[in-house]
Amino acid sequence: MNELEQVLIGDSAHTPPAIILEGLGSEAAHAAISGAPRTIYEELWHIAFWQQVTLAWVRGIETAYPVHASNGFPTPDDAARENWEQLRERFLRTNKEAAVAALDTSRLEIEVRCPSRPGVPARVMTVREQLESLGAHNAYHFGRIVLLRQLQGLWPPPSGGFSW
């Protein structure tokens, strides 16, 4: 496992994403926490959204950048179409795809076009840079998920997790 794969699915800098999500039921995932802007479900949906966009870009498929930040979070209709377990499985599947891309060292230095916010020129990044960006993005939002779990008294997960 290389460090980039570790950042995406391992325990390079934090508890692995699969462990962070372990043992969470739908009720906890959808629970609104006083003062928190998002639920665990909404945070994971956002992570999965950007993970899928990143994978498209890495594959050379120009996927449009959302016009508004709110487009990267689920609507009530999105949540009604995809239950917690389905969302979790979608995230885990695409997370493995990102890890496979990180292991394909023959493609890491290929440049890909990454559309930007409306009015901002598109960026060109290497596959490695795009996956590094995904790893940083995921780590940020998984930190929020850990905090939401802590606030619900649901940390650590059954397999354990960093508590410092």
Side-chain angles (χ1 to χ4, degrees):
M1 185 177 285
N2 66 27
E3 189 62 23
L4 185 52
E5 182 188 20
Q6 278 279 67
V7 165
L8 293 165
I9 67 168
D11 62 359
S12 172
H14 52 76
T15 302
I19 302 297
I20 292 172
L21 299 174
E22 183 183 73
L24 275 174
S26 182
E27 185 176 331
H30 287 282
I33 306 297
S34 179
R38 306 264 184 232
T39 65
I40 291 172
Y41 180 96
E42 292 165 333
E43 291 288 342
L44 186 61
W45 195 97
H46 177 77
I47 293 168
F49 172 86
W50 279 108
Q51 192 159 255
Q52 287 182 270
V53 169
T54 296
L55 287 169
W57 290 346
V58 162
R59 292 177 179 129
I61 302 166
E62 277 198 41
T63 303
Y65 199 96
V67 175
H68 300 286
S70 62
N71 297 132
F73 287 94
T75 66
D77 287 342
D78 293 324
R81 280 191 299 271
E82 185 175 41
N83 68 36
W84 169 246
E85 193 57 35
Q86 291 167 324
L87 172 60
R88 186 180 165 283
E89 290 305 316
R90 177 168 61 98
F91 163 77
L92 291 171
R93 179 178 33 79
T94 57
N95 192 233
K96 286 178 185 170
E97 290 174 26
V100 167
L103 286 175
D104 187 355
T105 57
S106 69
R107 297 198 71 244
L108 290 178
E109 301 312 317
I110 292 174
E111 291 186 339
V112 293
R113 186 176 147 85
C114 307
S116 297
R117 291 177 212 74
V120 177
R123 295 176 297 160
V124 174
M125 301 170 75
T126 65
V127 168
R128 177 190 311 278
E129 290 168 331
Q130 190 53 232
L131 292 172
E132 289 169 348
S133 180
L134 176 64
H137 177 264
N138 287 4
Y140 171 82
H141 286 282
F142 272 110
R144 293 170 61 103
I145 289 173
V146 168
L147 179 60
L148 291 169
R149 284 191 73 149
Q150 290 169 330
L151 292 171
Q152 292 183 65
L154 299 172
W155 190 261
S159 294
F162 298 139
S163 59
W164 40 298

